[in-house]
Amino acid sequence: MSRRMLSVLTTWAAIAPAVVLSATTYDYIVVGSGPGGGPLASNLARAGFSTLLIEAGGDETQNPTYSDLANFLEACNDEASRWDFWVRHSDNATQDLAFHHTTWDTGGGTFYVGNDPPAGAKLLGIQYPRAGTLGGCAMHNAGVASLAQDEDWNAVVNLTGDTSWEAPNVRKYLKAIEKNEYMPAGNSAHGYNGWLSTFVSDVSWAQAANSTGVRILEKLSTLLNQTSKDPNVLFGGDILGNPPNKDQISSIYNMAYHCDSKGKRSTPADFILSTLSDPAKYPLTLKMRTLVTKVLFNNSTTQPRAIGVEIMEGASLYRADPKHTPGAKGPVSQVFASKEVIISGGTFNSPQILKLSGVGPKAELEALGIKVVKDLPGVGEKLGDNYEASIIGLTKEPIPAGLTTAIWRTPNAATKNRNIYSWCGPFSFEGFWPGFPTDYGANQWECAMVHIGPKSQAGSVRLRTADPQDTPDINFRFFKNHGDTDLAELVEATNILRSSWLAAGDPALPIQELHPCPGEIGKAKCTDAMQAEYFRVQAYSHHATSTCAIGADSDPMAVLDSKFRVRGVQGLRVVDASAWPQVPGAFPVVPTMMLSQKASEDIIAEAKAQQGSHDHAHT
């Protein structure tokens, strides 16, 4: 064989889609199987590229706690997948200690939740559960399917000039992943052949004319300036639809979920497993119960190049896992990627992995003895989240109703866009703590809300230690920037929702509000300022984003370019919720799956272009 031919074959082996160079070398390594990494790894394999998908947790897809969406409260509390991050909401320790669900370790696997801990209790903080399992947090959430606002996609265009992110272009990503099961076939806004089932809630309760629940529904529709009182009209709008100016429409909707018509949860785990079992034998390898400890680099190139990852194998190795045994370790080894390493560990773990690998703020890394590969000060910064809050009370008699869901704009909103996603019904949800929620009985009535477009992204994810099994220090710094504006919007929303309750009439009234304005609604003396202060301390969240944010070339805090490439190094990308430059809409899970589809398109097109260029050069 000629030297030239040998060179051609060697180069081809490095770029060919399905060639595995050795037992531990793949074209791509994807770290994390959640809404970002799971679909991406499956798409790469289906495009013919050998792909290793690494997941720290196990597979709970056959466990009814996870597979049946109705069990989501149990799923989020379940130790089989739960990772507990204990976070702060502010730099004010006294304020955080006033959070009603501050959690303390009382030993032996028990907790105290509240503001008057017993002697000897160890402060943990505010619980922020994540899911360490195949499919990631899509496996333990409430399954709400909601879309980003157009401005969330256009933000990338404005920062980078990459017009492929323009909002009119991205509907195709929803259509590519969606298997819609609630709209008639052929609706141009939806997809029907994807891997993600979508369905809607049962609103038959709204047909009960003049019931207390329907009276509240009708009053809320009036407050949102909807003229019709017909429930078929009120719930007839498609919450995932694509009408003109959709982000400015205040309306009641039928809540959509990423589940099928039988209530079975639909997640990236399903796509992963179907890819693995497909008769086409796509080159996807799944490695579970494996903790990635760092990215490996070749530092001899002009820019450091990611060439693989170091892994530690074993179950419950990460200390966020309540099943973790102190001191437990696993065998350490390395696996390699001939093309790229893609980090999809989520908003907390992706910046942690980058920093452990030497990519992050120089001073932070050097203080922990980590060799700096690339000084990238934005890694772990700009942490943002939707503020979540609720108004809850006890009715005189139970209200027969399901969920009244609405996306709407408060009159004092900072922009013309909708800023509140709310849902009201006979339930209780007040945030996260071990064993949540509190069950107040049959008479409980709540309106929960998610604040869309939070204006403060001042949080951070920073290393406590250089130990990859340790959890990072997480501080959201709620309301630090423009906090009074966001709080005023939450208060305005609460006042409007409370007004709808007064329409319930007999036998539901009077309603004793528990918070934010304790007492009989309509009579309790509670100012807007009092409510704002309540939310300042008691707001919670579950939609963290933006710690490895896409940004402009000129921005020293930008971590990624518009193609998800980590700046200043080669062969390394981040594809998950941490990539969003701002919090996308009310529930980031489906937007992040769409983002994953976009990343798949970008990465596969780039790889095939490189392959085609190489083929042409050697023809």
Side-chain angles (χ1 to χ4, degrees):
M1 182 181 296
S2 70
R3 180 176 299 176
R4 180 179 182 277
M5 181 62 70
L6 181 60
S7 174
V8 169
L9 291 177
T10 301
T11 305
W12 170 252
I15 66 169
V19 172
V20 179
L21 303 183
S22 74
T24 56
T25 302
Y26 303 82
D27 290 329
Y28 292 95
I29 295 174
V30 179
V31 181
S33 68
L40 173 59
S42 300
N43 285 329
L44 289 172
R46 287 170 180 263
F49 298 100
S50 63
T51 304
L52 173 64
L53 176 60
I54 303 175
E55 167 57 48
D59 179 7
E60 297 295 334
T61 55
Q62 300 305 306
N63 182 343
T65 297
Y66 299 86
S67 61
D68 295 344
L69 186 58
N71 296 332
F72 71 91
L73 292 175
E74 183 181 353
C76 204
N77 275 294
D78 188 17
E79 286 193 359
S81 72
R82 198 181 78 227
W83 278 10
D84 291 332
F85 291 92
W86 303 102
V87 308
R88 290 177 287 157
H89 283 170
S90 74
D91 289 320
N92 186 328
T94 301
Q95 177 177 304
D96 275 5
L97 286 174
F99 184 71
H100 290 332
H101 301 116
T102 297
T103 302
W104 308 72
D105 183 354
T106 50
T110 63
F111 302 97
Y112 168 83
V113 178
N115 307 119
D116 187 22
K122 177 185 176 183
L123 175 64
L124 293 171
I126 299 166
Q127 188 190 40
Y128 202 110
R130 303 278 81 186
T133 189
L134 190 69
C137 290
M139 289 295 294
H140 81 166
N141 64 4
V144 180
S146 181
L147 300 181
Q149 295 195 349
D150 285 354
E151 68 176 20
D152 300 321
W153 295 102
N154 290 335
V156 179
V157 184
N158 297 334
L159 290 168
T160 68
D162 185 344
T163 57
S164 70
W165 286 79
E166 288 179 343
N169 296 338
V170 301
R171 173 64 54 162
K172 65 180 179 181
Y173 300 125
L174 175 66
K175 296 172 72 171
I177 68 174
E178 187 185 22
K179 182 182 179 181
N180 187 283
E181 297 188 28
Y182 68 88
M183 294 294 290
N187 184 297
S188 62
H190 291 284
Y192 295 86
N193 299 303
W195 54 267
L196 186 74
S197 294
T198 57
F199 198 64
V200 290
S201 58
D202 178 12
V203 293
S204 59
W205 62 271
Q207 301 293 336
N210 203 39
S211 72
T212 50
V214 169
R215 289 197 290 267
I216 292 174
L217 165 68
E218 292 176 345
K219 179 62 174 179
L220 182 58
S221 70
T222 299
L223 294 169
L224 299 185
N225 297 316
Q226 293 181 283
T227 55
S228 177
K229 297 297 182 288
D230 183 347
N232 296 308
V233 174
L234 291 175
F235 288 112
D238 179 9
I239 199 169
L240 300 181
N242 195 31
N245 303 313
K246 61 182 179 298
D247 296 334
Q248 289 82 48
I249 298 172
S250 291
S251 181
I252 288 171
Y253 292 98
N254 195 350
M255 184 181 281
Y257 302 92
H258 53 89
C259 72
D260 66 16
S261 59
K262 297 179 180 179
K264 295 295 183 182
R265 186 184 290 272
S266 179
T267 77
D270 303 314
F271 191 29
I272 295 164
L273 294 175
S274 68
T275 302
L276 288 167
S277 63
D278 196 287
K281 297 188 182 302
Y282 297 118
L284 177 64
T285 300
L286 173 62
K287 196 172 187 63
M288 293 188 289
R289 299 179 182 86
T290 301
L291 182 69
V292 170
T293 59
K294 65 180 178 181
V295 178
L296 304 172
F297 288 95
N298 176 356
N299 292 306
S300 65
T301 53
T302 304
Q303 282 189 334
R305 180 173 188 86
I307 57 171
V309 295
E310 181 180 270
I311 58 176
M312 182 184 296
E313 297 181 67
S316 304
L317 292 174
Y318 194 55
R319 293 192 187 107
D321 191 328
K323 303 185 301 300
H324 174 76
T325 301
K329 302 283 184 181
V332 175
S333 60
Q334 297 177 337
V335 288
F336 297 94
S338 62
K339 288 185 176 297
E340 291 183 347
V341 174
I342 302 166
I343 306 300
S344 302
T347 299
F348 297 159
N349 291 106
S350 285
Q352 181 180 21
I353 292 170
L354 290 183
K355 290 180 179 184
L356 291 169
S357 309
V359 178
K362 180 180 179 180
E364 180 182 347
L365 303 185
E366 288 183 340
L368 295 172
I370 299 172
K371 181 181 178 181
V372 178
V373 172
K374 173 62 181 177
D375 179 16
L376 210 55
V379 175
E381 301 301 307
K382 204 182 176 184
L383 172 63
D385 210 331
N386 301 114
Y387 299 120
E388 297 184 56
S390 61
I391 170 176
I392 186 169
L394 300 177
T395 60
K396 183 180 178 182
E397 296 291 338
I399 295 177
L403 294 181
T404 295
T405 304
I407 313 179
W408 47 290
R409 180 187 182 274
T410 60
N412 64 349
T415 72
K416 293 181 179 180
N417 284 349
R418 305 180 295 194
N419 61 327
I420 299 293
Y421 186 119
S422 65
W423 61 105
C424 304
F427 66 90
S428 165
F429 178 68
E430 302 163 284
F432 300 92
W433 63 90
F436 82 96
T438 299
D439 184 354
Y440 294 100
N443 292 18
Q444 62 191 9
W445 184 262
E446 176 174 320
C447 287
M449 54 186 163
V450 170
H451 185 254
I452 302 170
K455 298 160 198 67
S456 180
Q457 289 188 218
S460 61
V461 176
R462 296 171 183 165
L463 297 181
R464 301 178 198 270
T465 71
D467 183 350
Q469 293 180 266
D470 205 357
T471 57
D473 176 64
I474 301 165
N475 187 338
F476 282 89
R477 297 184 183 86
F478 278 2
F479 305 110
K480 182 175 181 179
N481 300 324
H482 310 288
D484 289 343
T485 301
D486 283 344
L487 287 165
E489 293 176 19
L490 289 173
V491 170
E492 181 82 354
T494 301
N495 290 339
I496 290 171
L497 292 168
R498 184 184 291 112
S499 295
S500 72
W501 293 13
L502 290 169
D506 292 332
L509 295 181
I511 299 175
Q512 297 297 321
E513 185 174 327
L514 301 180
H515 63 69
C517 186
E520 182 178 331
I521 65 165
K523 296 182 179 180
K525 303 298 182 183
C526 189
T527 67
D528 287 355
M530 293 166 62
Q531 294 184 84
E533 189 57 29
Y534 176 87
F535 290 136
R536 185 187 301 277
V537 179
Q538 304 302 335
Y540 46 93
S541 65
H542 197 229
H543 306 149
T545 70
S546 308
T547 52
C548 299
I550 295 170
D553 292 344
S554 60
D555 182 3
M557 298 299 287
V559 178
L560 309 177
D561 68 10
S562 67
K563 302 300 184 185
F564 306 92
R565 293 175 290 220
V566 178
R567 294 179 178 275
V569 298
Q570 301 178 68
L572 182 62
R573 303 192 205 224
V574 176
V575 179
D576 57 26
S578 72
W580 288 102
Q582 60 193 43
V583 184
F587 295 86
V589 61
V590 172
T592 300
M593 295 175 193
M594 294 169 64
L595 176 144
S596 179
Q597 185 67 24
K598 184 184 190 327
S600 300
E601 180 181 278
D602 291 343
I603 295 169
I604 291 168
E606 183 177 313
K608 289 186 174 180
Q610 291 173 351
Q611 180 178 311
S613 175
H614 181 271
D615 291 349
H616 178 76
H618 291 277
T619 300

